[in-house]
Amino acid sequence: MDELKQQILDLIGNTSSKDDVKNDMTALLEQYKAAGANPATDVLFQIGSSVYGIALDSDKKAAGGATAYNPPTVDFDYMKKFMKDVFLSYGVTEERAETCSDVLIEADKRGIDSHGLGRLKPIYCDRMDNGILFPDREIQVLKETDTTALVDGGLGLGLYIGPYCMQMAIDKAKKHGVGFVAVGNSTHYGIAGYYATMASDAGCVGFTGTNARPSIAPTFGVEPMLGTNPLCFGIPTDDDFPFVIDCATSINQRGKIEKYARDGVDTPKGAVIDDKGIERTDTEGILRDMVLGKCALCPVGGAGDATGGYKGYGWATVVELLSIAFQSGPWGENVCGIDRSTGKPCPMPLGHFFLAIDVEALCDLSTFKKNSGELLRALRGSKKAPTGPGRIWTAGEQEWDARCSRNAKGGMPVPLPLQKNMIALRDKMPSGLKEKYEKLPFE
């Protein structure tokens, strides 16, 4: 499979006409898929579709010639149980499997489909299969005070390391007013908003972040150096939902650029810069060059300093520093997930940090919530732009809307690629999954 992948990469860098490349690439992608690559998660298939207009014969047959497809809705409880059973089949303990599945299903409940079921196979199971992430590693507390802790995750599942560390920060805050936990040697921990919400639900202000594989170029630079490094806060309010802001410190991520390609539109200027320092807008070319390492994402604020790109660059750097400095952790190429000498997957030891501030240590919680809610309602009730959607949201509200909508519909949509992932996981594991899930809801 690695050899096929390299052939496809070489072809993407080919300067021949698009039609010539398309014919050769179609054949290689069919072989690549037959060798086990997943079209739902591998960016090479996305480039084939978005840039070259490739539709694989195997996909056409699977679609049965249908022109439209409405994915089935599956109950949240069923989906969480399935994900928990998958983790159990990998040797994750009962308690940790429950936690891991809760983090993932919470993303789907909030409408953040990129970080829920969609991550189960490619980010967690496939990495456990490749031996670069481990299901059963112990969490070690390396150093601890009344208000702080330094933790080593042992390259275990970030989905249980993250909740453990935020709960530790909350417990310290409840006793001493504030708690801060830094963790190293962890792995992808899901939606950062899960942890900020843990804190806000406990009557605390929550703050968390994590580093990631290098994607963002520094202001006035062109080399990917920083991750898309989310910066996340959760603040209690008297609304039905907390104020939770969870967003990357880059303007876009690759998935948004892939959507631009599907829509046939240019990428906004200032979102991507190439190795020659050119702010690129040619979406198809950007996708090709990102795979070849010739483009980088720009921080919030854009390339250069004319629109404040140095601000997003600074915030991305803050997240990176808090994710590696306490922990003496790796960054940049050392968390890219690929061994450049062999092209094979390698561990991505990530760092996270978690801060909880107990509101009651400073003021009455109900007063704090009332004050927060009054401001947020004033923002939502302020004058609307006549050319806008007629509504103003505050952070966390759209996720609450998604939760209400999905609950009313009976669960979450499961599109064909994720159905295939579920079937593949069920059929490959020897520990009773096939017997327990002999017929999945969409079969």
Side-chain angles (χ1 to χ4, degrees), residues 64-97:
T67 57
Y69 176 73
N70 292 317
T73 297
V74 179
D75 176 77
F76 285 125
D77 289 340
Y78 180 96
M79 194 58 66
K80 180 183 175 182
K81 190 172 188 308
F82 176 84
M83 291 193 283
K84 178 180 178 179
D85 285 337
V86 169
F87 284 120
L88 288 171
S89 73
Y90 273 90
V92 180
T93 65
E94 173 79 20
E95 181 182 3
R96 289 178 173 181

PDB file of all heavy atoms in Angstrom, residues 64-97:
ATOM      1  N   GLY A  64     -25.301   2.274  -6.785  1.00  0.00           N
ATOM      2  CA  GLY A  64     -26.414   1.736  -7.547  1.00  0.00           C
ATOM      3  C   GLY A  64     -27.038   2.725  -8.498  1.00  0.00           C
ATOM      4  O   GLY A  64     -28.198   2.605  -8.857  1.00  0.00           O
ATOM      5  N   GLY A  65     -26.268   3.732  -8.898  1.00  0.00           N
ATOM      6  CA  GLY A  65     -26.772   4.704  -9.848  1.00  0.00           C
ATOM      7  C   GLY A  65     -27.694   5.751  -9.250  1.00  0.00           C
ATOM      8  O   GLY A  65     -28.283   6.545  -9.943  1.00  0.00           O
ATOM      9  N   ALA A  66     -27.812   5.737  -7.912  1.00  0.00           N
ATOM     10  CA  ALA A  66     -28.705   6.698  -7.275  1.00  0.00           C
ATOM     11  C   ALA A  66     -28.162   8.107  -7.396  1.00  0.00           C
ATOM     12  O   ALA A  66     -26.972   8.331  -7.336  1.00  0.00           O
ATOM     13  CB  ALA A  66     -28.876   6.349  -5.803  1.00  0.00           C
ATOM     14  N   THR A  67     -29.056   9.065  -7.555  1.00  0.00           N
ATOM     15  CA  THR A  67     -28.636  10.458  -7.700  1.00  0.00           C
ATOM     16  C   THR A  67     -28.698  11.214  -6.375  1.00  0.00           C
ATOM     17  O   THR A  67     -28.123  12.273  -6.244  1.00  0.00           O
ATOM     18  CB  THR A  67     -29.526  11.174  -8.725  1.00  0.00           C
ATOM     19  OG1 THR A  67     -30.894  11.066  -8.303  1.00  0.00           O
ATOM     20  CG2 THR A  67     -29.371  10.542 -10.102  1.00  0.00           C
ATOM     21  N   ALA A  68     -29.444  10.679  -5.407  1.00  0.00           N
ATOM     22  CA  ALA A  68     -29.528  11.333  -4.114  1.00  0.00           C
ATOM     23  C   ALA A  68     -29.577  10.271  -3.032  1.00  0.00           C
ATOM     24  O   ALA A  68     -30.100   9.173  -3.241  1.00  0.00           O
ATOM     25  CB  ALA A  68     -30.764  12.220  -4.037  1.00  0.00           C
ATOM     26  N   TYR A  69     -29.059  10.610  -1.871  1.00  0.00           N
ATOM     27  CA  TYR A  69     -29.017   9.623  -0.798  1.00  0.00           C
ATOM     28  C   TYR A  69     -29.249  10.325   0.527  1.00  0.00           C
ATOM     29  O   TYR A  69     -28.563  11.293   0.863  1.00  0.00           O
ATOM     30  CB  TYR A  69     -27.671   8.904  -0.785  1.00  0.00           C
ATOM     31  CG  TYR A  69     -27.527   7.944   0.370  1.00  0.00           C
ATOM     32  CD1 TYR A  69     -28.221   6.745   0.385  1.00  0.00           C
ATOM     33  CD2 TYR A  69     -26.724   8.264   1.465  1.00  0.00           C
ATOM     34  CE1 TYR A  69     -28.116   5.869   1.451  1.00  0.00           C
ATOM     35  CE2 TYR A  69     -26.611   7.395   2.533  1.00  0.00           C
ATOM     36  CZ  TYR A  69     -27.308   6.191   2.522  1.00  0.00           C
ATOM     37  OH  TYR A  69     -27.203   5.326   3.579  1.00  0.00           O
ATOM     38  N   ASN A  70     -30.218   9.851   1.271  1.00  0.00           N
ATOM     39  CA  ASN A  70     -30.482  10.371   2.602  1.00  0.00           C
ATOM     40  C   ASN A  70     -29.993   9.342   3.611  1.00  0.00           C
ATOM     41  O   ASN A  70     -30.567   8.246   3.703  1.00  0.00           O
ATOM     42  CB  ASN A  70     -31.972  10.636   2.808  1.00  0.00           C
ATOM     43  CG  ASN A  70     -32.459  11.779   1.947  1.00  0.00           C
ATOM     44  OD1 ASN A  70     -31.796  12.802   1.839  1.00  0.00           O
ATOM     45  ND2 ASN A  70     -33.624  11.606   1.333  1.00  0.00           N
ATOM     46  N   PRO A  71     -28.945   9.650   4.363  1.00  0.00           N
ATOM     47  CA  PRO A  71     -28.391   8.657   5.298  1.00  0.00           C
ATOM     48  C   PRO A  71     -29.397   8.317   6.385  1.00  0.00           C
ATOM     49  O   PRO A  71     -30.196   9.172   6.805  1.00  0.00           O
ATOM     50  CB  PRO A  71     -27.165   9.359   5.877  1.00  0.00           C
ATOM     51  CG  PRO A  71     -27.388  10.813   5.665  1.00  0.00           C
ATOM     52  CD  PRO A  71     -28.182  10.918   4.408  1.00  0.00           C
ATOM     53  N   PRO A  72     -29.391   7.067   6.833  1.00  0.00           N
ATOM     54  CA  PRO A  72     -30.316   6.673   7.905  1.00  0.00           C
ATOM     55  C   PRO A  72     -29.944   7.343   9.223  1.00  0.00           C
ATOM     56  O   PRO A  72     -28.793   7.728   9.445  1.00  0.00           O
ATOM     57  CB  PRO A  72     -30.117   5.160   7.992  1.00  0.00           C
ATOM     58  CG  PRO A  72     -28.719   4.935   7.498  1.00  0.00           C
ATOM     59  CD  PRO A  72     -28.511   5.961   6.425  1.00  0.00           C
ATOM     60  N   THR A  73     -30.916   7.484  10.086  1.00  0.00           N
ATOM     61  CA  THR A  73     -30.701   8.041  11.421  1.00  0.00           C
ATOM     62  C   THR A  73     -30.607   6.892  12.422  1.00  0.00           C
ATOM     63  O   THR A  73     -31.451   5.993  12.426  1.00  0.00           O
ATOM     64  CB  THR A  73     -31.862   8.982  11.813  1.00  0.00           C
ATOM     65  OG1 THR A  73     -31.884  10.091  10.910  1.00  0.00           O
ATOM     66  CG2 THR A  73     -31.688   9.498  13.228  1.00  0.00           C
ATOM     67  N   VAL A  74     -29.560   6.935  13.238  1.00  0.00           N
ATOM     68  CA  VAL A  74     -29.346   5.879  14.224  1.00  0.00           C
ATOM     69  C   VAL A  74     -29.380   6.499  15.618  1.00  0.00           C
ATOM     70  O   VAL A  74     -28.796   7.556  15.856  1.00  0.00           O
ATOM     71  CB  VAL A  74     -28.001   5.157  13.989  1.00  0.00           C
ATOM     72  CG1 VAL A  74     -27.775   4.082  15.046  1.00  0.00           C
ATOM     73  CG2 VAL A  74     -27.971   4.542  12.594  1.00  0.00           C
ATOM     74  N   ASP A  75     -30.060   5.815  16.529  1.00  0.00           N
ATOM     75  CA  ASP A  75     -30.213   6.275  17.904  1.00  0.00           C
ATOM     76  C   ASP A  75     -28.848   6.494  18.577  1.00  0.00           C
ATOM     77  O   ASP A  75     -27.927   5.693  18.424  1.00  0.00           O
ATOM     78  CB  ASP A  75     -31.013   5.215  18.674  1.00  0.00           C
ATOM     79  CG  ASP A  75     -31.152   5.546  20.128  1.00  0.00           C
ATOM     80  OD1 ASP A  75     -31.983   6.411  20.454  1.00  0.00           O
ATOM     81  OD2 ASP A  75     -30.414   4.964  20.938  1.00  0.00           O
ATOM     82  N   PHE A  76     -28.722   7.580  19.332  1.00  0.00           N
ATOM     83  CA  PHE A  76     -27.459   7.902  20.005  1.00  0.00           C
ATOM     84  C   PHE A  76     -27.019   6.790  20.961  1.00  0.00           C
ATOM     85  O   PHE A  76     -25.837   6.451  21.031  1.00  0.00           O
ATOM     86  CB  PHE A  76     -27.584   9.214  20.786  1.00  0.00           C
ATOM     87  CG  PHE A  76     -27.579  10.446  19.932  1.00  0.00           C
ATOM     88  CD1 PHE A  76     -28.615  11.365  20.026  1.00  0.00           C
ATOM     89  CD2 PHE A  76     -26.541  10.701  19.043  1.00  0.00           C
ATOM     90  CE1 PHE A  76     -28.617  12.517  19.252  1.00  0.00           C
ATOM     91  CE2 PHE A  76     -26.539  11.840  18.261  1.00  0.00           C
ATOM     92  CZ  PHE A  76     -27.578  12.752  18.370  1.00  0.00           C
ATOM     93  N   ASP A  77     -27.961   6.225  21.716  1.00  0.00           N
ATOM     94  CA  ASP A  77     -27.594   5.193  22.686  1.00  0.00           C
ATOM     95  C   ASP A  77     -27.025   3.967  21.986  1.00  0.00           C
ATOM     96  O   ASP A  77     -26.048   3.365  22.455  1.00  0.00           O
ATOM     97  CB  ASP A  77     -28.812   4.791  23.531  1.00  0.00           C
ATOM     98  CG  ASP A  77     -29.231   5.887  24.498  1.00  0.00           C
ATOM     99  OD1 ASP A  77     -28.404   6.774  24.794  1.00  0.00           O
ATOM    100  OD2 ASP A  77     -30.397   5.863  24.955  1.00  0.00           O
ATOM    101  N   TYR A  78     -27.641   3.605  20.864  1.00  0.00           N
ATOM    102  CA  TYR A  78     -27.130   2.465  20.096  1.00  0.00           C
ATOM    103  C   TYR A  78     -25.721   2.748  19.602  1.00  0.00           C
ATOM    104  O   TYR A  78     -24.826   1.903  19.702  1.00  0.00           O
ATOM    105  CB  TYR A  78     -28.055   2.184  18.910  1.00  0.00           C
ATOM    106  CG  TYR A  78     -27.620   1.017  18.045  1.00  0.00           C
ATOM    107  CD1 TYR A  78     -28.159  -0.245  18.236  1.00  0.00           C
ATOM    108  CD2 TYR A  78     -26.667   1.184  17.034  1.00  0.00           C
ATOM    109  CE1 TYR A  78     -27.758  -1.322  17.447  1.00  0.00           C
ATOM    110  CE2 TYR A  78     -26.259   0.122  16.252  1.00  0.00           C
ATOM    111  CZ  TYR A  78     -26.806  -1.130  16.452  1.00  0.00           C
ATOM    112  OH  TYR A  78     -26.390  -2.190  15.684  1.00  0.00           O
ATOM    113  N   MET A  79     -25.522   3.964  19.066  1.00  0.00           N
ATOM    114  CA  MET A  79     -24.218   4.295  18.488  1.00  0.00           C
ATOM    115  C   MET A  79     -23.143   4.356  19.560  1.00  0.00           C
ATOM    116  O   MET A  79     -22.010   3.886  19.354  1.00  0.00           O
ATOM    117  CB  MET A  79     -24.313   5.620  17.739  1.00  0.00           C
ATOM    118  CG  MET A  79     -23.132   5.868  16.831  1.00  0.00           C
ATOM    119  SD  MET A  79     -22.926   4.547  15.617  1.00  0.00           S
ATOM    120  CE  MET A  79     -24.416   4.774  14.664  1.00  0.00           C
ATOM    121  N   LYS A  80     -23.488   4.911  20.718  1.00  0.00           N
ATOM    122  CA  LYS A  80     -22.500   4.952  21.796  1.00  0.00           C
ATOM    123  C   LYS A  80     -22.141   3.543  22.243  1.00  0.00           C
ATOM    124  O   LYS A  80     -20.967   3.233  22.492  1.00  0.00           O
ATOM    125  CB  LYS A  80     -23.053   5.753  22.988  1.00  0.00           C
ATOM    126  CG  LYS A  80     -22.060   5.825  24.138  1.00  0.00           C
ATOM    127  CD  LYS A  80     -22.611   6.556  25.350  1.00  0.00           C
ATOM    128  CE  LYS A  80     -21.626   6.494  26.503  1.00  0.00           C
ATOM    129  NZ  LYS A  80     -22.130   7.142  27.728  1.00  0.00           N
ATOM    130  N   LYS A  81     -23.131   2.659  22.344  1.00  0.00           N
ATOM    131  CA  LYS A  81     -22.868   1.284  22.759  1.00  0.00           C
ATOM    132  C   LYS A  81     -21.981   0.572  21.747  1.00  0.00           C
ATOM    133  O   LYS A  81     -21.073  -0.175  22.120  1.00  0.00           O
ATOM    134  CB  LYS A  81     -24.191   0.525  22.927  1.00  0.00           C
ATOM    135  CG  LYS A  81     -24.038  -0.834  23.597  1.00  0.00           C
ATOM    136  CD  LYS A  81     -25.397  -1.449  23.899  1.00  0.00           C
ATOM    137  CE  LYS A  81     -25.239  -2.711  24.736  1.00  0.00           C
ATOM    138  NZ  LYS A  81     -24.290  -3.686  24.167  1.00  0.00           N
ATOM    139  N   PHE A  82     -22.235   0.812  20.456  1.00  0.00           N
ATOM    140  CA  PHE A  82     -21.392   0.198  19.429  1.00  0.00           C
ATOM    141  C   PHE A  82     -19.944   0.658  19.587  1.00  0.00           C
ATOM    142  O   PHE A  82     -19.012  -0.151  19.571  1.00  0.00           O
ATOM    143  CB  PHE A  82     -21.909   0.549  18.033  1.00  0.00           C
ATOM    144  CG  PHE A  82     -21.034   0.028  16.915  1.00  0.00           C
ATOM    145  CD1 PHE A  82     -21.170  -1.265  16.450  1.00  0.00           C
ATOM    146  CD2 PHE A  82     -20.054   0.836  16.341  1.00  0.00           C
ATOM    147  CE1 PHE A  82     -20.355  -1.757  15.437  1.00  0.00           C
ATOM    148  CE2 PHE A  82     -19.235   0.355  15.333  1.00  0.00           C
ATOM    149  CZ  PHE A  82     -19.390  -0.941  14.885  1.00  0.00           C
ATOM    150  N   MET A  83     -19.743   1.968  19.751  1.00  0.00           N
ATOM    151  CA  MET A  83     -18.382   2.482  19.875  1.00  0.00           C
ATOM    152  C   MET A  83     -17.716   1.954  21.145  1.00  0.00           C
ATOM    153  O   MET A  83     -16.532   1.597  21.136  1.00  0.00           O
ATOM    154  CB  MET A  83     -18.393   4.012  19.840  1.00  0.00           C
ATOM    155  CG  MET A  83     -18.767   4.576  18.480  1.00  0.00           C
ATOM    156  SD  MET A  83     -18.433   6.345  18.270  1.00  0.00           S
ATOM    157  CE  MET A  83     -19.793   7.057  19.188  1.00  0.00           C
ATOM    158  N   LYS A  84     -18.479   1.866  22.231  1.00  0.00           N
ATOM    159  CA  LYS A  84     -17.916   1.309  23.461  1.00  0.00           C
ATOM    160  C   LYS A  84     -17.486  -0.136  23.250  1.00  0.00           C
ATOM    161  O   LYS A  84     -16.396  -0.547  23.682  1.00  0.00           O
ATOM    162  CB  LYS A  84     -18.952   1.394  24.588  1.00  0.00           C
ATOM    163  CG  LYS A  84     -18.456   0.794  25.898  1.00  0.00           C
ATOM    164  CD  LYS A  84     -19.509   0.901  26.994  1.00  0.00           C
ATOM    165  CE  LYS A  84     -19.016   0.243  28.281  1.00  0.00           C
ATOM    166  NZ  LYS A  84     -20.017   0.355  29.373  1.00  0.00           N
ATOM    167  N   ASP A  85     -18.326  -0.916  22.582  1.00  0.00           N
ATOM    168  CA  ASP A  85     -17.986  -2.320  22.346  1.00  0.00           C
ATOM    169  C   ASP A  85     -16.754  -2.463  21.444  1.00  0.00           C
ATOM    170  O   ASP A  85     -15.968  -3.403  21.604  1.00  0.00           O
ATOM    171  CB  ASP A  85     -19.178  -3.057  21.740  1.00  0.00           C
ATOM    172  CG  ASP A  85     -20.274  -3.345  22.757  1.00  0.00           C
ATOM    173  OD1 ASP A  85     -19.961  -3.387  23.961  1.00  0.00           O
ATOM    174  OD2 ASP A  85     -21.443  -3.513  22.349  1.00  0.00           O
ATOM    175  N   VAL A  86     -16.591  -1.554  20.503  1.00  0.00           N
ATOM    176  CA  VAL A  86     -15.385  -1.576  19.670  1.00  0.00           C
ATOM    177  C   VAL A  86     -14.155  -1.339  20.541  1.00  0.00           C
ATOM    178  O   VAL A  86     -13.149  -2.065  20.441  1.00  0.00           O
ATOM    179  CB  VAL A  86     -15.471  -0.519  18.551  1.00  0.00           C
ATOM    180  CG1 VAL A  86     -14.116  -0.366  17.859  1.00  0.00           C
ATOM    181  CG2 VAL A  86     -16.530  -0.911  17.531  1.00  0.00           C
ATOM    182  N   PHE A  87     -14.211  -0.335  21.414  1.00  0.00           N
ATOM    183  CA  PHE A  87     -13.069  -0.083  22.296  1.00  0.00           C
ATOM    184  C   PHE A  87     -12.802  -1.281  23.204  1.00  0.00           C
ATOM    185  O   PHE A  87     -11.642  -1.667  23.417  1.00  0.00           O
ATOM    186  CB  PHE A  87     -13.310   1.174  23.132  1.00  0.00           C
ATOM    187  CG  PHE A  87     -13.144   2.459  22.370  1.00  0.00           C
ATOM    188  CD1 PHE A  87     -14.199   3.352  22.237  1.00  0.00           C
ATOM    189  CD2 PHE A  87     -11.930   2.783  21.775  1.00  0.00           C
ATOM    190  CE1 PHE A  87     -14.045   4.540  21.532  1.00  0.00           C
ATOM    191  CE2 PHE A  87     -11.767   3.971  21.062  1.00  0.00           C
ATOM    192  CZ  PHE A  87     -12.818   4.847  20.949  1.00  0.00           C
ATOM    193  N   LEU A  88     -13.853  -1.884  23.723  1.00  0.00           N
ATOM    194  CA  LEU A  88     -13.677  -3.077  24.558  1.00  0.00           C
ATOM    195  C   LEU A  88     -12.996  -4.195  23.784  1.00  0.00           C
ATOM    196  O   LEU A  88     -12.141  -4.916  24.322  1.00  0.00           O
ATOM    197  CB  LEU A  88     -15.036  -3.555  25.083  1.00  0.00           C
ATOM    198  CG  LEU A  88     -15.696  -2.697  26.170  1.00  0.00           C
ATOM    199  CD1 LEU A  88     -17.125  -3.167  26.416  1.00  0.00           C
ATOM    200  CD2 LEU A  88     -14.889  -2.745  27.461  1.00  0.00           C
ATOM    201  N   SER A  89     -13.349  -4.337  22.514  1.00  0.00           N
ATOM    202  CA  SER A  89     -12.761  -5.406  21.703  1.00  0.00           C
ATOM    203  C   SER A  89     -11.267  -5.200  21.478  1.00  0.00           C
ATOM    204  O   SER A  89     -10.542  -6.148  21.193  1.00  0.00           O
ATOM    205  CB  SER A  89     -13.495  -5.506  20.355  1.00  0.00           C
ATOM    206  OG  SER A  89     -13.159  -4.430  19.497  1.00  0.00           O
ATOM    207  N   TYR A  90     -10.802  -3.961  21.610  1.00  0.00           N
ATOM    208  CA  TYR A  90      -9.376  -3.665  21.487  1.00  0.00           C
ATOM    209  C   TYR A  90      -8.636  -3.817  22.815  1.00  0.00           C
ATOM    210  O   TYR A  90      -7.423  -3.595  22.874  1.00  0.00           O
ATOM    211  CB  TYR A  90      -9.179  -2.246  20.952  1.00  0.00           C
ATOM    212  CG  TYR A  90      -9.171  -2.152  19.446  1.00  0.00           C
ATOM    213  CD1 TYR A  90     -10.360  -1.933  18.747  1.00  0.00           C
ATOM    214  CD2 TYR A  90      -7.990  -2.287  18.715  1.00  0.00           C
ATOM    215  CE1 TYR A  90     -10.364  -1.854  17.364  1.00  0.00           C
ATOM    216  CE2 TYR A  90      -7.989  -2.212  17.338  1.00  0.00           C
ATOM    217  CZ  TYR A  90      -9.178  -1.997  16.667  1.00  0.00           C
ATOM    218  OH  TYR A  90      -9.185  -1.916  15.284  1.00  0.00           O
ATOM    219  N   GLY A  91      -9.358  -4.138  23.877  1.00  0.00           N
ATOM    220  CA  GLY A  91      -8.708  -4.315  25.168  1.00  0.00           C
ATOM    221  C   GLY A  91      -8.768  -3.114  26.078  1.00  0.00           C
ATOM    222  O   GLY A  91      -8.111  -3.085  27.129  1.00  0.00           O
ATOM    223  N   VAL A  92      -9.549  -2.102  25.704  1.00  0.00           N
ATOM    224  CA  VAL A  92      -9.747  -0.956  26.584  1.00  0.00           C
ATOM    225  C   VAL A  92     -10.630  -1.406  27.752  1.00  0.00           C
ATOM    226  O   VAL A  92     -11.570  -2.179  27.570  1.00  0.00           O
ATOM    227  CB  VAL A  92     -10.422   0.212  25.825  1.00  0.00           C
ATOM    228  CG1 VAL A  92     -10.630   1.416  26.740  1.00  0.00           C
ATOM    229  CG2 VAL A  92      -9.576   0.604  24.615  1.00  0.00           C
ATOM    230  N   THR A  93     -10.335  -0.948  28.956  1.00  0.00           N
ATOM    231  CA  THR A  93     -11.115  -1.368  30.117  1.00  0.00           C
ATOM    232  C   THR A  93     -12.538  -0.836  30.040  1.00  0.00           C
ATOM    233  O   THR A  93     -12.827   0.125  29.322  1.00  0.00           O
ATOM    234  CB  THR A  93     -10.475  -0.866  31.423  1.00  0.00           C
ATOM    235  OG1 THR A  93     -10.516   0.565  31.446  1.00  0.00           O
ATOM    236  CG2 THR A  93      -9.033  -1.340  31.558  1.00  0.00           C
ATOM    237  N   GLU A  94     -13.420  -1.435  30.811  1.00  0.00           N
ATOM    238  CA  GLU A  94     -14.836  -1.063  30.808  1.00  0.00           C
ATOM    239  C   GLU A  94     -15.026   0.428  31.089  1.00  0.00           C
ATOM    240  O   GLU A  94     -15.735   1.129  30.354  1.00  0.00           O
ATOM    241  CB  GLU A  94     -15.582  -1.894  31.862  1.00  0.00           C
ATOM    242  CG  GLU A  94     -17.019  -1.502  32.095  1.00  0.00           C
ATOM    243  CD  GLU A  94     -17.970  -2.021  31.038  1.00  0.00           C
ATOM    244  OE1 GLU A  94     -17.613  -2.988  30.323  1.00  0.00           O
ATOM    245  OE2 GLU A  94     -19.081  -1.450  30.913  1.00  0.00           O
ATOM    246  N   GLU A  95     -14.412   0.913  32.157  1.00  0.00           N
ATOM    247  CA  GLU A  95     -14.586   2.317  32.538  1.00  0.00           C
ATOM    248  C   GLU A  95     -14.043   3.254  31.464  1.00  0.00           C
ATOM    249  O   GLU A  95     -14.678   4.254  31.104  1.00  0.00           O
ATOM    250  CB  GLU A  95     -13.881   2.587  33.863  1.00  0.00           C
ATOM    251  CG  GLU A  95     -14.019   4.013  34.356  1.00  0.00           C
ATOM    252  CD  GLU A  95     -13.277   4.268  35.655  1.00  0.00           C
ATOM    253  OE1 GLU A  95     -12.606   3.335  36.155  1.00  0.00           O
ATOM    254  OE2 GLU A  95     -13.352   5.398  36.167  1.00  0.00           O
ATOM    255  N   ARG A  96     -12.888   2.931  30.930  1.00  0.00           N
ATOM    256  CA  ARG A  96     -12.285   3.801  29.916  1.00  0.00           C
ATOM    257  C   ARG A  96     -13.025   3.725  28.595  1.00  0.00           C
ATOM    258  O   ARG A  96     -13.145   4.736  27.884  1.00  0.00           O
ATOM    259  CB  ARG A  96     -10.814   3.438  29.738  1.00  0.00           C
ATOM    260  CG  ARG A  96      -9.959   3.838  30.933  1.00  0.00           C
ATOM    261  CD  ARG A  96      -8.520   3.414  30.756  1.00  0.00           C
ATOM    262  NE  ARG A  96      -7.676   3.944  31.812  1.00  0.00           N
ATOM    263  CZ  ARG A  96      -6.370   3.738  31.896  1.00  0.00           C
ATOM    264  NH1 ARG A  96      -5.757   2.990  30.979  1.00  0.00           N
ATOM    265  NH2 ARG A  96      -5.672   4.250  32.890  1.00  0.00           N
ATOM    266  N   ALA A  97     -13.524   2.550  28.239  1.00  0.00           N
ATOM    267  CA  ALA A  97     -14.305   2.419  27.008  1.00  0.00           C
ATOM    268  C   ALA A  97     -15.581   3.254  27.091  1.00  0.00           C
ATOM    269  O   ALA A  97     -16.006   3.877  26.110  1.00  0.00           O
ATOM    270  CB  ALA A  97     -14.643   0.953  26.747  1.00  0.00           C
TER     271      ALA A  97
END
